[in-house]
Amino acid sequence: MSSIKDILRTMEYGPSPEADGDVVQWLEAHGRSFGHYIDGRFVTPKGAREIAVSDPANGGELARIACGTTDDVDAAVKAARAAFGKWSKLSGHARAKYLYAIARHVQKRSRFLAVLETMDNGKPVRETRDIDIPLVARHFYHHAGWAEMVEDEFRGFSPVGVCGQVIPWNFPLLMLAWKIAPALAAGNTVVLKPADLTPLTAIAFAEICHEVGLPAGVVNIVQGDGATGAAVCGHEGVDKVAFTGSTQVGRVIREQIAGSGKKLSLELGGKSPFIVFEDADLDAAVEGVVDAIWFNQGEVCCAGSRLLVQEGIAERFHAKLKARLETLRVGDPLDKSTDVGAIVSPVQVERISALVAKGVEEGGALWQAPAPLPEKGNYIAPGFFTDVEPASTVCQVEIFGPIAASMTFRTPDEAVALANNSRYGLAASVWSENINVALDLAARVKAGVVWINCTNMLDAGAGFGGYRESGFGREGAREGLYEYLAADWEKGLAAPKGQEAFVPSASPVGDGKVLVEGIDRTMKNYIGGKQARPDGGHSYAVTGKGGLVIGEAGIGNRKDIRNAVEAAAKAGGWGGATGHNRAQVLYYLGENLEARRAGMEALLCESTGISAKKAADEFDTALRRIFYYAAQADKFDGAVHSTQSRHVTLAMNEPFGVMGIACPDEAPLLSLVSLVLPAIAMGNRVVVAPSARHPLIAGDFYQVLDTSDVPGGVVNIVTGERDLLVKTLAEHDEVAALWYFGSAEGSAMVEKASAGNLKSTWVNNGRMPNWLDDGQGRGRDYLRRAVQVKNIWVPYGA
């Protein structure tokens, strides 16, 4: 028998199993068979195909669920639509009371939910008990507060409608809370599909909704597989889709709902860097690795799976990490002494094992915990690779298991280069005792969440979401609530009117049209601060009032767009300038535009045929827009979120980088200014496809840019067939966001073509704002769409 002294020295523990009696009793009471929760009732369709739900720890069958059909989804969407009217019209206080009641019931059943989640998912009960379930309650409490305040804090916004939500298997109940809590707080109703591997806590949650008297149809849960999820996302009665899962499926959803008008948020995969500097507290950083990659068996989208260790301490750090690896306990998830539980399914075990084998085959040195694995169940020994290259499979592909890959760096610049050498951009963790170094890295790493001297910190009060192919949109905090609200001005826009697409032609103009007298004018593209002939050498006649030819403009092609994007990418210093400096340039731009008033108003009349008074109104409004966004350049700032104790969480508005902008034919000067100015005021660089019918306005505008200290490459203009140019922008991986104001067909094309790198898009679906109306043509909504929020967790206090 071991003495206490020996136990303290070896840290060996005996088994300490968590009781599962209540969960087993609950399963038996339901006959270990579950259906859907639709319109306030638990229903199991007759003859439904069933899916077996297994316990990852031992492979035994826990229950069976009905696989939802299109009819089941249709019933759920109809119930949600019927409930939306009354639910959305309730006062915020009334909705808050329901959310508060849900939070309280989650707390009162916390141990039951923790055990059920562990049995269903395989994660250690220590994690479900101490992390998952408390965060579930926290999200409902937090959003009960937003429900109370939404009418005051989000004036000019209203609920989207029926929300279709699809969640993954790695945090089943927590992901449910992330989706349902903000949707209900904003006044929406929900149809949610849980993962078929881990559906049980969703049923328990539905029972809680029933207990608190949540009105029928407000929350509907349809069980099923991938086909069921596709039916939810694609249903014509769904107004908003929220998905958490793999990048591959996110891309499919983006393409599936393109052109439907549905709002979309995607929280996808990651390959997050974990950066350790020489001056870091190495013991703390080692424990950080435990929390970064071996927490939840590494089945975490923001897992710190790429270790970047400064060269001078790499050998020492790896030695400490190997020693810590040997103490990890792998085994029964219901044992409160277990550190690493079971992988969710045999299929996932096979996938992880194949990637690990690939890492070894490519020359990586694999270090794994030496402890024997249980004979039954789905287990992978935690570990990490050394001797790998940045391009190695294990450094690029999301393993989604308890395996990290470690590389070294010498300088902060090299650390940033390695950290950003990924198609993902979900999270990052920086370890240094030098706060200047840490904050500098936090600003330069392309990630939606950055933890300093900590990792995997989550809270309802801080937004969570990624850059690049980690998706777009945020969950949690103020920025997350916007995902479930729609601007009233957009919802009120008139339905699109059919308009024949304008296709520029290089053919000579016939039909007796006469050139306006004067010097021939042929407009070039504007790329990198210089006028440039189109690559194809073609131009087209620009006609104005009365069908007269008033000049020519270039017909741009794919290479022109590529050149413009390259020029925009090189102008990164604009995003690094202070808001004050950008504001000065924009004020100067307005000053120089005013000097060209007479010529610009005359061109508006000549080009579009509008009256002199309307031309003056358009010019005056455009000038005010420039000054408005110059004023906002140093005032549209971030926030400090109230999250967990001893942390300041900075929500920083960051520019996307390179943005594409497609302008309409309507109000060619004003719409150009209204779209370009908020983007560059926030530090973006833009590639603009101006009005194809009235391109000469953009030609005069770039002459103003030339005299206004706007750095070359910040604004690039390529004329030609708008939708053809925009398709190239949508497909370009260097373009991080794209705004399109044109036809409904063009909007659908943009959303579908953007699926390649999952860029953020804003399209008008053919519904055109009144650009002269400040409520529609300008405002903080434009600025909000021109940035992505980075949440930086900074230790604060003792």
Side-chain angles (χ1 to χ4, degrees), residues 98 101-102 105 207-214:
Y98 285 110
I102 291 172
H105 279 246
E207 292 180 341
I208 288 175
C209 292
H210 211 67
E211 287 176 358
V212 304
L214 190 71

Side-chain angles (χ1 to χ4, degrees), residues 45-296:
K46 292 183 179 180
R49 179 169 69 88
E50 290 189 327
I51 299 173
V53 181
S54 300
D55 185 338
N58 54 38
E61 185 175 298
L62 288 172
R64 302 185 77 82
I65 58 166
C67 184
T69 64
T70 54
D71 289 341
D72 299 322
V73 172
D74 190 53
V77 173
K78 286 180 179 177
R81 178 63 61 194
F84 174 70
K86 288 184 177 179
W87 179 254
S88 62
K89 289 179 175 61
L90 284 179
S91 68
H93 176 64
R95 291 198 300 272
K97 288 193 293 186
Y98 285 110
L99 290 165
Y100 171 77
I102 291 172
R104 292 288 290 134
H105 279 246
V106 167
Q107 286 183 317
K108 287 185 281 189
R109 286 162 176 75
S110 60
R111 187 56 64 94
F112 170 84
L113 293 170
V115 174
L116 179 60
E117 191 84 311
T118 289
M119 293 173 66
D120 200 15
N121 169 272
K123 64 177 67 183
V125 72
R126 235 171 1 103
E127 294 177 5
T128 57
R129 179 195 67 199
D130 299 341
I131 299 173
D132 291 38
I133 307 306
L135 276 174
V136 170
R138 162 71 171 140
H139 271 268
F140 280 100
Y141 274 124
H142 180 80
H143 287 95
W146 277 126
E148 198 79 49
M149 302 187 302
V150 67
E151 294 157 0
D152 294 327
E153 294 289 323
F154 294 87
R155 292 187 184 277
F157 288 83
S158 55
V160 176
V162 175
C163 300
Q165 303 176 326
V166 180
I167 58 174
W169 44 257
N170 57 334
F171 290 91
L173 191 57
L174 182 55
M175 293 294 103
L176 178 150
W178 279 22
K179 297 286 189 292
I180 289 181
L184 267 54
N188 303 282
T189 54
V190 166
V191 176
L192 179 135
K193 192 206 82 71
D196 55 346
L197 292 173
T198 54
L200 300 181
T201 45
I203 290 293
F205 176 80
E207 292 180 341
I208 288 175
C209 292
H210 211 67
E211 287 176 358
V212 304
L214 190 71
V218 172
V219 169
N220 305 272
I221 295 175
V222 181
Q223 305 286 4
D225 55 14
T228 311
V232 170
C233 296
H235 197 287
E236 63 181 8
V238 167
D239 303 300
K240 148 81 180 179
V241 173
F243 173 76
T244 297
S246 72
T247 295
Q248 293 89 334
V249 175
R251 192 173 282 117
V252 169
I253 292 173
R254 171 70 285 176
E255 293 179 346
Q256 177 194 15
I257 69 172
S260 66
K262 292 179 172 69
K263 195 169 185 178
L264 175 65
S265 56
L266 298 172
E267 195 269 283
L268 307 174
K271 195 69 179 174
S272 301
F274 185 102
I275 307 166
V276 185
F277 283 90
E278 289 177 339
D279 63 349
D281 181 335
L282 296 190
D283 291 323
V286 165
E287 290 307 309
V289 173
V290 175
D291 292 336
I293 186 62
W294 297 322
F295 164 68
N296 202 49

Side-chain angles (χ1 to χ4, degrees), residues 403-425:
I403 304 294
S406 185
M407 295 175 285
T408 62
F409 67 90
R410 291 183 178 179
T411 66
D413 287 346
E414 187 180 359
V416 170
L418 288 170
N420 291 337
N421 181 33
S422 171
R423 60 195 179 102
Y424 298 111

Side-chain angles (χ1 to χ4, degrees), residues 183-472:
L184 267 54
N188 303 282
T189 54
V190 166
V191 176
L192 179 135
K193 192 206 82 71
D196 55 346
L197 292 173
T198 54
L200 300 181
T201 45
I203 290 293
F205 176 80
E207 292 180 341
I208 288 175
C209 292
H210 211 67
E211 287 176 358
V212 304
L214 190 71
V218 172
V219 169
N220 305 272
I221 295 175
V222 181
Q223 305 286 4
D225 55 14
T228 311
V232 170
C233 296
H235 197 287
E236 63 181 8
V238 167
D239 303 300
K240 148 81 180 179
V241 173
F243 173 76
T244 297
S246 72
T247 295
Q248 293 89 334
V249 175
R251 192 173 282 117
V252 169
I253 292 173
R254 171 70 285 176
E255 293 179 346
Q256 177 194 15
I257 69 172
S260 66
K262 292 179 172 69
K263 195 169 185 178
L264 175 65
S265 56
L266 298 172
E267 195 269 283
L268 307 174
K271 195 69 179 174
S272 301
F274 185 102
I275 307 166
V276 185
F277 283 90
E278 289 177 339
D279 63 349
D281 181 335
L282 296 190
D283 291 323
V286 165
E287 290 307 309
V289 173
V290 175
D291 292 336
I293 186 62
W294 297 322
F295 164 68
N296 202 49
Q297 299 77 249
E299 297 170 325
V300 184
C301 53
C302 56
S305 54
R306 287 188 298 145
L307 310 181
L308 305 178
V309 186
Q310 198 157 19
E311 195 173 85
I313 48 102
E315 186 175 342
R316 191 152 48 100
F317 184 76
H318 289 151
K320 286 177 175 287
L321 202 55
K322 293 170 189 175
R324 183 66 177 91
L325 192 62
E326 293 178 358
T327 67
L328 292 178
R329 298 177 292 275
V330 182
D332 182 5
L334 283 177
D335 189 329
K336 292 188 286 288
S337 298
T338 293
D339 294 309
V340 181
I343 303 299
V344 71
S345 71
V347 172
Q348 185 64 11
V349 170
E350 291 177 9
R351 181 181 183 279
I352 296 168
S353 299
L355 287 170
V356 169
K358 184 70 173 177
V360 173
E361 178 186 327
E362 292 178 350
L366 176 64
W367 307 90
Q368 283 184 291
L373 302 180
E375 294 182 1
K376 291 184 178 180
N378 311 321
Y379 293 92
I380 293 282
F384 67 98
F385 278 97
T386 58
D387 300 330
V388 291
E389 302 296 331
S392 298
T393 299
V394 293
C395 293
Q396 291 294 324
V397 176
E398 186 179 28
I399 297 174
F400 223 64
I403 304 294
S406 185
M407 295 175 285
T408 62
F409 67 90
R410 291 183 178 179
T411 66
D413 287 346
E414 187 180 359
V416 170
L418 288 170
N420 291 337
N421 181 33
S422 171
R423 60 195 179 102
Y424 298 111
L426 187 53
S429 185
V430 182
W431 294 76
S432 173
E433 293 299 290
N434 186 326
I435 193 65
N436 294 323
V437 169
L439 290 176
D440 176 59
L441 263 287
R444 296 164 67 191
V445 169
K446 297 295 184 184
V449 183
V450 180
W451 296 291
I452 293 177
N453 291 331
C454 58
T455 193
N456 274 339
M457 302 290 286
L458 304 171
D459 189 86
F464 184 89
Y467 291 9
R468 298 175 167 175
E469 292 184 33
S470 289
F472 47 80

